[in-house]
PDB file of all heavy atoms in Angstrom:
ATOM      1  N   SER P 211      27.512 -11.162  13.208  1.00 92.00           N
ATOM      2  CA  SER P 211      26.755 -11.110  11.948  1.00 92.00           C
ATOM      3  C   SER P 211      27.331 -12.155  11.002  1.00 92.00           C
ATOM      4  O   SER P 211      28.511 -12.524  11.101  1.00 92.00           O
ATOM      5  CB  SER P 211      26.823  -9.718  11.341  1.00 92.00           C
ATOM      6  OG  SER P 211      28.065  -9.563  10.718  1.00 92.00           O
ATOM      7  N   ILE P 212      26.492 -12.604  10.103  1.00 92.00           N
ATOM      8  CA  ILE P 212      26.902 -13.693   9.207  1.00 92.00           C
ATOM      9  C   ILE P 212      28.171 -13.311   8.443  1.00 92.00           C
ATOM     10  O   ILE P 212      29.084 -14.117   8.299  1.00 92.00           O
ATOM     11  CB  ILE P 212      25.758 -14.062   8.240  1.00 92.00           C
ATOM     12  CG1 ILE P 212      24.550 -14.566   9.032  1.00 92.00           C
ATOM     13  CG2 ILE P 212      26.215 -15.113   7.233  1.00 92.00           C
ATOM     14  CD1 ILE P 212      23.370 -14.979   8.183  1.00 92.00           C
ATOM     15  N   ALA P 213      28.210 -12.075   8.007  1.00 91.00           N
ATOM     16  CA  ALA P 213      29.340 -11.639   7.167  1.00 91.00           C
ATOM     17  C   ALA P 213      30.684 -11.752   7.894  1.00 91.00           C
ATOM     18  O   ALA P 213      31.717 -11.966   7.267  1.00 91.00           O
ATOM     19  CB  ALA P 213      29.111 -10.204   6.720  1.00 91.00           C
ATOM     20  N   ASP P 214      30.652 -11.655   9.240  1.00 91.00           N
ATOM     21  CA  ASP P 214      31.921 -11.687   9.988  1.00 91.00           C
ATOM     22  C   ASP P 214      32.374 -13.098  10.373  1.00 91.00           C
ATOM     23  O   ASP P 214      33.453 -13.268  10.939  1.00 91.00           O
ATOM     24  CB  ASP P 214      31.785 -10.861  11.284  1.00 91.00           C
ATOM     25  CG  ASP P 214      31.536  -9.397  10.975  1.00 91.00           C
ATOM     26  OD1 ASP P 214      31.943  -8.974   9.867  1.00 91.00           O
ATOM     27  OD2 ASP P 214      30.919  -8.709  11.817  1.00 91.00           O
ATOM     28  N   LEU P 215      31.534 -14.090  10.130  1.00 93.00           N
ATOM     29  CA  LEU P 215      31.875 -15.441  10.617  1.00 93.00           C
ATOM     30  C   LEU P 215      33.078 -16.020   9.891  1.00 93.00           C
ATOM     31  O   LEU P 215      33.196 -15.916   8.668  1.00 93.00           O
ATOM     32  CB  LEU P 215      30.684 -16.385  10.460  1.00 93.00           C
ATOM     33  CG  LEU P 215      29.464 -16.110  11.344  1.00 93.00           C
ATOM     34  CD1 LEU P 215      28.372 -17.126  11.057  1.00 93.00           C
ATOM     35  CD2 LEU P 215      29.848 -16.138  12.824  1.00 93.00           C
ATOM     36  N   LYS P 216      33.973 -16.625  10.676  1.00 94.00           N
ATOM     37  CA  LYS P 216      35.152 -17.275  10.088  1.00 94.00           C
ATOM     38  C   LYS P 216      35.112 -18.787  10.350  1.00 94.00           C
ATOM     39  O   LYS P 216      35.697 -19.570   9.622  1.00 94.00           O
ATOM     40  CB  LYS P 216      36.443 -16.697  10.719  1.00 94.00           C
ATOM     41  CG  LYS P 216      36.667 -15.225  10.426  1.00 94.00           C
ATOM     42  CD  LYS P 216      37.503 -15.058   9.158  1.00 94.00           C
ATOM     43  CE  LYS P 216      37.681 -13.607   8.767  1.00 94.00           C
ATOM     44  NZ  LYS P 216      36.480 -13.060   8.082  1.00 94.00           N
ATOM     45  N   THR P 217      34.465 -19.146  11.458  1.00 94.00           N
ATOM     46  CA  THR P 217      34.421 -20.558  11.856  1.00 94.00           C
ATOM     47  C   THR P 217      32.991 -20.921  12.243  1.00 94.00           C
ATOM     48  O   THR P 217      32.313 -20.125  12.900  1.00 94.00           O
ATOM     49  CB  THR P 217      35.318 -20.802  13.099  1.00 94.00           C
ATOM     50  OG1 THR P 217      36.575 -20.185  12.862  1.00 94.00           O
ATOM     51  CG2 THR P 217      35.497 -22.279  13.389  1.00 94.00           C
ATOM     52  N   ILE P 218      32.567 -22.142  11.858  1.00 94.00           N
ATOM     53  CA  ILE P 218      31.231 -22.607  12.264  1.00 94.00           C
ATOM     54  C   ILE P 218      31.364 -23.992  12.888  1.00 94.00           C
ATOM     55  O   ILE P 218      31.961 -24.893  12.291  1.00 94.00           O
ATOM     56  CB  ILE P 218      30.271 -22.638  11.056  1.00 94.00           C
ATOM     57  CG1 ILE P 218      29.975 -21.204  10.624  1.00 94.00           C
ATOM     58  CG2 ILE P 218      28.972 -23.365  11.402  1.00 94.00           C
ATOM     59  CD1 ILE P 218      29.067 -21.083   9.430  1.00 94.00           C
ATOM     60  N   HIS P 219      30.825 -24.140  14.102  1.00 94.00           N
ATOM     61  CA  HIS P 219      30.820 -25.445  14.766  1.00 94.00           C
ATOM     62  C   HIS P 219      29.509 -26.158  14.449  1.00 94.00           C
ATOM     63  O   HIS P 219      28.459 -25.524  14.378  1.00 94.00           O
ATOM     64  CB  HIS P 219      30.912 -25.280  16.292  1.00 94.00           C
ATOM     65  CG  HIS P 219      32.245 -24.783  16.750  1.00 94.00           C
ATOM     66  ND1 HIS P 219      33.056 -25.527  17.569  1.00 94.00           N
ATOM     67  CD2 HIS P 219      32.910 -23.635  16.496  1.00 94.00           C
ATOM     68  CE1 HIS P 219      34.167 -24.847  17.809  1.00 94.00           C
ATOM     69  NE2 HIS P 219      34.105 -23.688  17.170  1.00 94.00           N
ATOM     70  N   GLY P 220      29.559 -27.480  14.301  1.00 91.00           N
ATOM     71  CA  GLY P 220      28.299 -28.198  14.055  1.00 91.00           C
ATOM     72  C   GLY P 220      28.488 -29.699  14.045  1.00 91.00           C
ATOM     73  O   GLY P 220      29.591 -30.206  13.821  1.00 91.00           O
ATOM     74  N   HIS P 221      27.395 -30.414  14.295  1.00 87.00           N
ATOM     75  CA  HIS P 221      27.398 -31.873  14.201  1.00 87.00           C
ATOM     76  C   HIS P 221      27.499 -32.237  12.717  1.00 87.00           C
ATOM     77  O   HIS P 221      26.874 -31.587  11.877  1.00 87.00           O
ATOM     78  CB  HIS P 221      26.085 -32.387  14.804  1.00 87.00           C
ATOM     79  CG  HIS P 221      26.020 -33.875  14.870  1.00 87.00           C
ATOM     80  ND1 HIS P 221      25.627 -34.636  13.798  1.00 87.00           N
ATOM     81  CD2 HIS P 221      26.306 -34.731  15.873  1.00 87.00           C
ATOM     82  CE1 HIS P 221      25.681 -35.904  14.146  1.00 87.00           C
ATOM     83  NE2 HIS P 221      26.089 -35.990  15.397  1.00 87.00           N
ATOM     84  N   PRO P 222      28.293 -33.267  12.375  1.00 85.00           N
ATOM     85  CA  PRO P 222      28.488 -33.592  10.954  1.00 85.00           C
ATOM     86  C   PRO P 222      27.162 -33.760  10.196  1.00 85.00           C
ATOM     87  O   PRO P 222      27.025 -33.293   9.061  1.00 85.00           O
ATOM     88  CB  PRO P 222      29.258 -34.916  10.986  1.00 85.00           C
ATOM     89  CG  PRO P 222      29.883 -34.981  12.342  1.00 85.00           C
ATOM     90  CD  PRO P 222      29.063 -34.136  13.258  1.00 85.00           C
ATOM     91  N   GLN P 223      26.169 -34.411  10.844  1.00 80.00           N
ATOM     92  CA  GLN P 223      24.883 -34.616  10.160  1.00 80.00           C
ATOM     93  C   GLN P 223      24.185 -33.285   9.917  1.00 80.00           C
ATOM     94  O   GLN P 223      23.627 -33.051   8.847  1.00 80.00           O
ATOM     95  CB  GLN P 223      23.981 -35.481  11.037  1.00 80.00           C
ATOM     96  CG  GLN P 223      24.313 -36.939  10.950  1.00 80.00           C
ATOM     97  CD  GLN P 223      23.047 -37.776  10.815  1.00 80.00           C
ATOM     98  OE1 GLN P 223      21.949 -37.242  10.903  1.00 80.00           O
ATOM     99  NE2 GLN P 223      23.209 -39.055  10.594  1.00 80.00           N
ATOM    100  N   ALA P 224      24.228 -32.412  10.921  1.00 87.00           N
ATOM    101  CA  ALA P 224      23.560 -31.118  10.798  1.00 87.00           C
ATOM    102  C   ALA P 224      24.236 -30.303   9.695  1.00 87.00           C
ATOM    103  O   ALA P 224      23.570 -29.685   8.864  1.00 87.00           O
ATOM    104  CB  ALA P 224      23.612 -30.386  12.130  1.00 87.00           C
ATOM    105  N   VAL P 225      25.567 -30.350   9.684  1.00 89.00           N
ATOM    106  CA  VAL P 225      26.314 -29.601   8.664  1.00 89.00           C
ATOM    107  C   VAL P 225      25.950 -30.127   7.272  1.00 89.00           C
ATOM    108  O   VAL P 225      25.684 -29.357   6.344  1.00 89.00           O
ATOM    109  CB  VAL P 225      27.836 -29.710   8.935  1.00 89.00           C
ATOM    110  CG1 VAL P 225      28.642 -29.193   7.758  1.00 89.00           C
ATOM    111  CG2 VAL P 225      28.193 -28.948  10.216  1.00 89.00           C
ATOM    112  N   ALA P 226      25.871 -31.467   7.166  1.00 86.00           N
ATOM    113  CA  ALA P 226      25.532 -32.072   5.870  1.00 86.00           C
ATOM    114  C   ALA P 226      24.122 -31.661   5.446  1.00 86.00           C
ATOM    115  O   ALA P 226      23.870 -31.402   4.265  1.00 86.00           O
ATOM    116  CB  ALA P 226      25.639 -33.587   5.960  1.00 86.00           C
ATOM    117  N   GLN P 227      23.218 -31.586   6.417  1.00 86.00           N
ATOM    118  CA  GLN P 227      21.837 -31.239   6.078  1.00 86.00           C
ATOM    119  C   GLN P 227      21.684 -29.758   5.693  1.00 86.00           C
ATOM    120  O   GLN P 227      20.644 -29.355   5.207  1.00 86.00           O
ATOM    121  CB  GLN P 227      20.908 -31.592   7.254  1.00 86.00           C
ATOM    122  CG  GLN P 227      20.702 -33.101   7.390  1.00 86.00           C
ATOM    123  CD  GLN P 227      20.051 -33.498   8.709  1.00 86.00           C
ATOM    124  OE1 GLN P 227      19.460 -32.671   9.390  1.00 86.00           O
ATOM    125  NE2 GLN P 227      20.160 -34.765   9.057  1.00 86.00           N
ATOM    126  N   CYS P 228      22.722 -28.950   5.967  1.00 91.00           N
ATOM    127  CA  CYS P 228      22.654 -27.515   5.634  1.00 91.00           C
ATOM    128  C   CYS P 228      23.709 -27.156   4.595  1.00 91.00           C
ATOM    129  O   CYS P 228      24.137 -25.996   4.495  1.00 91.00           O
ATOM    130  CB  CYS P 228      22.893 -26.673   6.888  1.00 91.00           C
ATOM    131  SG  CYS P 228      21.824 -27.096   8.246  1.00 91.00           S
TER     132      CYS P 228
END
Side-chain angles (χ1 to χ4, degrees):
S211 78
I212 298 181
D214 296 335
L215 292 180
K216 296 269 176 281
T217 312
I218 291 179
H219 290 242
H221 185 276
Q223 280 225 354
V225 168
Q227 287 167 18
C228 307

